Amino acid sequence: MPDQAVDIVTIFPEYLAPLRESLLGRAIARGQLRVDVHDLRSWTDDAHRTVDDTPYGGGPGMVMLAEPWARALDDLAPPESSAQPRLIVPTPTGRRFTQEIAAELAQQKWLLFACGRYEGIDARLTDYAGQRMVVDEISLGDYVLCGGEVAVLVIMEAVARLMPGVLGNAASAAEDSFTDTVDGLLEAPVYTKPATWRGLNVPEVLLSGHHGNIADWRRQQSVELTRRRRPDLLEG
Ligand code: ADE
């Protein structure tokens, strides 16, 4: 049995095809990870396979019906079962996704993503799910996507590289921008060969072999870059 499992429910299963590529694809092929994408409409029973209706109280757009979602949850994670997934619902009204949340999700045995579309899912769905599983509503940022599918791709890419045994080089994840090991600063710019390229030179200090000076330079570059681009990260 794989160490970790991910289920994704969506009305656009083909949107999630990129999950089988690259890093995640290799983890799936090695049998470490199970990833299954499910069509929400398979839990409808009317001829039109309806998943939405007009909002109570009025307003624009359509709201996803709670019932097909509840059937999906009950099928994938039966209420009587003691093993329950962590339910992730991408939504612009969720808490903001961070590297810290990615690290937390990477430790979970079982993630279940519910991709909403239109104006979102009937709010009673998360109340219902919350009776037996931890529910996390997550936003990628202060903008509105058409649905949760692309958000799941982003979240899973950030999570997968932190899953135990998925990334080949664990050290490179630890040194990334936004992780604690770099004090919450942006990473310094990086260079590779050749030392002179189209008239542009690699900073001299990086060719010096002097590890102390290199570390000082990187630190100073990190602080400078962070001050310029993300002053909010320096507050406090
Ligand atoms: N769905 C729609 N907009 C979103 C956002 N900003 N983050 C996550 N999921 C979303």
Side-chain angles (χ1 to χ4, degrees):
M1 226 182 58
D3 306 326
Q4 289 177 288
V6 178
D7 286 290
I8 301 151
V9 182
T10 168
I11 57 168
F12 295 119
E14 61 280 12
Y15 237 113
L16 284 309
L19 282 179
R20 313 238 154 235
E21 301 289 329
S22 174
L23 202 84
L24 270 169
R26 285 201 296 277
I28 295 166
R30 282 199 301 264
Q32 290 176 324
L33 185 65
R34 173 182 72 72
V35 176
D36 286 312
V37 181
H38 313 270
D39 187 347
L40 177 69
R41 292 190 199 276
S42 66
W43 285 285
T44 59
D45 53 14
D46 63 313
H48 294 104
R49 308 180 90 201
T50 309
V51 293
D52 61 351
D53 207 332
T54 54
Y56 275 123
M62 299 292 272
V63 175
M64 292 190 108
L65 297 162
E67 182 58 21
W69 282 108
R71 289 181 193 168
L73 294 188
D74 292 352
D75 248 6
L76 297 172
E80 62 276 13
S81 167
S82 61
Q84 293 291 327
R86 171 89 161 245
L87 180 65
I88 316 289
V89 186
T91 164
T93 61
R95 64 179 173 134
R96 176 77 148 269
F97 188 54
T98 61
Q99 188 70 17
E100 196 183 343
I101 296 175
E104 189 193 330
L105 297 183
Q107 300 303 317
Q108 304 294 315
K109 295 290 287 179
W110 185 9
L111 299 174
L112 172 48
F113 289 93
C115 299
R117 283 257 147 190
Y118 317 118
E119 298 301 312
I121 306 172
D122 186 316
R124 291 170 293 183
L125 191 270
T126 48
D127 297 339
Y128 174 73
Q131 293 168 357
R132 67 177 196 269
M133 57 184 79
V134 177
V135 180
D136 224 336
E137 296 184 70
I138 291 181
S139 172
L140 288 192
D142 296 337
Y143 45 82
V144 181
L145 304 169
C146 295
E149 287 77 9
V150 170
V152 170
L153 292 176
V154 171
I155 294 169
M156 273 312 298
E157 184 145 328
V159 168
R161 55 195 295 287
L162 302 176
M163 282 176 160
V166 170
L167 193 74
N169 180 4
S172 92
E175 280 168 24
D176 275 345
S177 296
F178 302 116
T179 55
D180 291 337
T181 49
V182 288
D183 303 330
L185 300 176
L186 302 182
E187 232 180 323
V190 294
Y191 303 86
T192 186
K193 292 163 202 67
T196 299
W197 171 80
R198 299 196 180 196
L200 301 169
N201 296 324
V202 170
E204 200 60 45
V205 61
L206 295 179
L207 310 175
S208 69
H210 192 298
H211 298 300
N213 289 354
I214 291 171
D216 288 347
W217 180 86
R218 285 187 170 147
R219 170 90 196 166
Q220 172 232 313
Q221 291 287 312
S222 282
V223 172
E224 189 45 43
L225 194 62
T226 308
R227 186 167 18 242
R228 234 178 324 121
R229 289 191 189 154
R230 292 293 308 276
D232 57 299
L233 295 177
L234 293 173
E235 280 160 25

